[in-house]
Amino acid sequence: MTMPVALPHPEGHAEHPTGYWPWWRYFTFNIDHKVIGLQYLVTAFFFYLVGGAMASLVRAELATPDSDILEPVVYNQTFTMHGTVMIFLFIVPAVTGGFGNYLVPLMIGARDMAFPRLNALAFWMTVPAGFMLIASYFFGSSESGWTAYPPLSILTEYKLGQGLWIFSLLLIGTSSILAAVNFMVTILAMRMPGMTLFKMPLFCWSMIATSILVLFSTPVLASALVLLAFDLLAGTSFFNPAGGGNPVVYQHLFWFYSHPAVYVMVLPIFGAISEILPVHARKPIFGYKAIAYSSIFICILGLFVWAHHMFTSGTPDWLRIFFTVATLLVAVPTGIKVFSWVATLWGGKIRFTSAMLFAMGFISMFLFGGLTGVTLGSVPFDLHVHDTYYVVGHFHYVLFGGSVFGIFAAVYHWFPKMTGRLMNETWGKVHFALTFLGFNLCFFPMHILGLQGMPRRVAQYDPQFAPLNVVATAGAFLLAVSTLPFLVNAIRSWFWGEKAIGNPWHALTMEWTTVSPPPIENWPGEPVMVAEPYDYGHGYTYDAQEGFAIAPANLVHP
């Protein structure tokens, strides 16, 4: 994987300004945003395999009503680690650190992020945090769920494991804050001349909204975790009711971050889907400004819905009404996006590539998850299904059906840009078929189980729930198997896949105006914005060698 290297240059990245890094530099402290993006993505997928293995253990245990594979305590530790790893070490790093770092500077015509060293530091904080979290599993891991509600989390006998869990999340949260500052400054201050806010790709709008959410909500979680650590390790009573503390205050602090965290995980995917659909449907995006503004509205409204997770926590009726209304309102800008995506597809010349299949699968799965989310925003219904498998099913339709389907769509779409190679489309479609079938077999039955009253977070359950649990476990195993063709395809294509031209999809956004993979400073010369990002159908041609867009001579943009 050693790439050709250009002569040294006195400015910018001093070593190889227009060449490529040797392979070993991808394992070092490197300030190139593309290297950091790939470091995030590869690390995130490693933890995806770890979290997926834990999920398989949980589902294997739940295949029968009795506790016959994992001891109840180990079961509690395993599902706690599964949720924590998947959220904080896979989805969040992949969508923000991975795709955000790689794409944002390229999309706005910048050479790098605003603060390259801060960017590298943010990544290298996640690595020890991740291994600290995994290490806690072998020292008596947290068994209080990914929410770590007190008093369960502070009265545990596994104080070392719970402490490591807290400190790892503090590191990851700090990394997220540093990255959010970097994204905001980069997008607002480093766009190329001529690229106004309403000429930049929608992915950049989604990263602005995501960064605002991170900056407002993550410090609140950090404060809650610091106080929780004092209760756990120093014997204070901020949240311990035995000493006069209030555990419900922790719930408010936790969910003030953790519901916006859902949007932190899906807003970048919304942006990625808005990039993928127009390219593979060969149509301009429908409602550009509506999609852009809806990201900001989701960001604002998302900060006012946290207590719908706490309808059973003694929340007064008047406050329940407020959070019900806020929850229903946040569905409106999300609905605007879905409508715009479907309108973009309508009448398009759709190419059913692997990226497009996962993008369309994302729309259907996230739409179903959003509809079940609306039902959970209604107090009477939520009281009935709270802490049942209905919530687990909904959560996974939003985050796996949403974020993970979107991550795979983005990987297939931008893989040629990142590696200079094309992924095998046949195996990509096999991956989609297995993932779609396994996902629905696993998580759809959970809604029925929840409506029938099966509680979540239990290793032993009433035998009447066994048949549907067998179906869910079979779906989980199929979902695990679906990862194999993806891994083989990605690794084989990275080293031996068909070489990609600079713009294999004939896209119009700025990242496709340079060769694939881009050189160290992204463009050999000054970047030129040939087209607005979604001007499909305006007579562009594409050069035969690299596929770069060529604007017709008579095209004049307002």
Side-chain angles (χ1 to χ4, degrees):
M1 282 183 63
T2 301
M3 308 299 288
V5 175
L7 293 174
H9 192 277
E11 299 175 0
H13 296 279
E15 286 191 56
H16 315 302
T18 56
Y20 296 88
W21 300 109
W23 65 268
W24 57 269
R25 290 302 303 270
Y26 286 79
F27 296 90
T28 64
F29 189 92
N30 194 311
I31 62 173
D32 188 338
H33 72 97
K34 300 180 294 300
V35 174
I36 295 169
L38 289 173
Q39 287 174 331
Y40 267 114
L41 284 172
V42 173
T43 304
F45 272 100
F46 167 77
F47 285 113
Y48 174 65
L49 298 179
V50 173
M54 292 176 175
S56 297
L57 284 174
V58 168
R59 284 312 319 173
E61 173 58 54
L62 292 173
T64 62
D66 298 320
S67 181
D68 45 17
I69 294 179
L70 301 176
E71 293 293 325
V73 171
V74 178
Y75 175 84
N76 293 345
Q77 294 170 341
T78 303
F79 76 68
T80 296
M81 291 296 294
H82 159 69
T84 309
V85 166
M86 285 302 206
I87 292 170
F88 294 105
L89 293 175
F90 170 51
I91 298 178
V92 172
V95 299
T96 57
F99 292 111
N101 268 299
Y102 198 97
L103 296 174
V104 164
L106 287 167
M107 285 182 165
I108 64 174
R111 300 291 184 186
D112 208 319
M113 296 288 284
F115 308 112
R117 287 175 176 78
L118 194 69
N119 199 20
L121 176 63
F123 166 72
W124 285 104
M125 292 178 76
T126 65
V127 175
F131 286 104
M132 187 188 303
L133 190 65
I134 300 302
S136 74
Y137 191 64
F138 302 99
F139 291 98
S141 173
S142 168
E143 55 175 334
S144 54
W146 78 280
T147 57
Y149 276 2
L152 182 61
S153 58
I154 56 180
L155 299 181
T156 176
E157 62 180 292
Y158 304 107
K159 292 187 182 294
L160 176 59
Q162 185 71 61
L164 289 172
W165 185 93
I166 292 171
F167 293 132
S168 67
L169 261 61
L170 286 171
L171 273 178
I172 294 168
T174 304
S175 169
S176 296
I177 292 171
L178 299 180
V181 171
N182 219 344
F183 283 123
M184 290 290 289
V185 176
T186 301
I187 295 172
L188 297 178
M190 296 182 64
R191 298 189 308 279
M192 65 182 297
M195 181 177 284
T196 64
L197 286 175
F198 289 105
K199 287 185 179 180
M200 69 180 184
L202 287 165
F203 182 80
C204 298
W205 277 97
S206 71
M207 289 306 299
I208 289 176
T210 301
S211 299
I212 294 171
L213 277 176
V214 169
L215 291 175
F216 273 94
S217 62
T218 308
V220 177
L221 175 66
S223 65
L225 291 176
V226 168
L227 297 178
L228 188 69
F230 275 112
D231 280 6
L232 175 72
L233 303 174
T236 57
S237 297
F238 294 106
F239 307 125
N240 188 353
N246 190 342
V248 176
V249 172
Y250 173 86
Q251 293 185 32
H252 281 287
L253 295 174
F254 178 85
W255 286 114
F256 185 82
Y257 165 81
S258 294
H259 191 83
V262 174
Y263 304 120
V264 169
M265 289 182 269
V266 299
L267 274 170
I269 296 302
F270 288 167
I273 297 301
S274 298
E275 303 301 331
I276 294 167
L277 295 181
V279 175
H280 297 274
R282 310 310 299 169
K283 270 189 65 181
I285 191 75
F286 183 90
Y288 171 94
K289 288 189 176 181
I291 295 176
Y293 284 132
S294 67
S295 293
I296 304 303
F297 281 118
I298 289 173
C299 164
I300 295 170
L301 292 172
L303 292 168
F304 295 95
V305 299
W306 76 89
H308 70 219
H309 295 273
M310 300 170 55
F311 285 156
T312 61
S313 298
T315 309
D317 289 340
W318 66 268
L319 201 56
R320 286 175 171 177
I321 294 172
F322 172 83
F323 283 104
T324 293
V325 172
T327 302
L328 299 180
L329 281 177
V330 81
V332 175
T334 307
I336 290 172
K337 288 183 183 293
V338 173
F339 177 84
S340 298
W341 293 331
V342 174
T344 301
L345 293 173
W346 186 267
K349 297 179 180 179
I350 298 176
R351 298 177 293 183
F352 289 102
T353 60
S354 301
M356 190 61 152
L357 289 172
F358 272 102
M360 296 173 73
F362 158 85
I363 295 174
S364 59
M365 297 300 94
F366 185 81
L367 180 61
F368 184 81
L371 291 174
T372 57
V374 170
T375 65
L376 289 170
S378 173
V379 175
F381 188 84
D382 183 78
L383 295 178
H384 176 67
V385 300
H386 185 80
D387 262 349
T388 69
Y389 263 83
Y390 187 93
V391 178
V392 179
H394 153 73
F395 190 71
H396 282 84
Y397 265 84
V398 170
L399 289 186
F400 197 110
S403 293
V404 180
F405 269 69
I407 287 171
F408 284 132
V411 168
Y412 283 104
H413 181 70
W414 280 293
F415 190 88
K417 177 55 58 182
M418 295 176 176
T419 67
R421 304 276 183 171
L422 293 169
M423 292 189 76
N424 184 284
E425 282 294 320
T426 300
W427 283 110
K429 291 170 184 176
V430 170
H431 174 215
F432 170 76
L434 293 175
T435 304
F436 191 86
L437 180 59
F439 172 80
N440 284 285
L441 275 177
C442 181
F443 296 111
F444 184 79
M446 292 183 184
H447 295 83
I448 303 172
L449 288 168
L451 290 173
Q452 292 176 347
M454 180 177 172
R456 65 193 293 197
R457 297 174 174 168
V458 294
Q460 297 168 290
Y461 55 86
D462 193 298
Q464 66 172 312
F465 303 127
L468 285 177
N469 270 295
V470 171
V471 174
T473 298
F477 289 163
L478 182 58
L479 201 54
V481 170
S482 74
T483 308
L484 297 177
F486 170 75
L487 289 175
V488 172
N489 192 3
I491 295 171
R492 184 183 181 282
S493 298
W494 196 325
F495 291 98
W496 302 288
E498 178 187 349
K499 289 187 177 181
I501 60 175
N503 186 7
W505 310 128
H506 290 171
L508 297 178
T509 43
M510 281 296 299
E511 76 272 23
W512 299 104
T513 63
T514 186
V515 295
S516 298
I520 289 174
E521 290 198 348
N522 297 342
W523 289 270
E526 289 300 316
V528 178
M529 188 166 63
V530 177
E532 293 192 23
Y534 311 107
D535 266 0
Y536 300 100
H538 284 79
Y540 289 94
T541 56
Y542 301 87
D543 74 67
Q545 184 175 356
E546 291 288 354
F548 298 147
I550 303 171
N554 61 349
L555 181 64
V556 178
H557 289 291

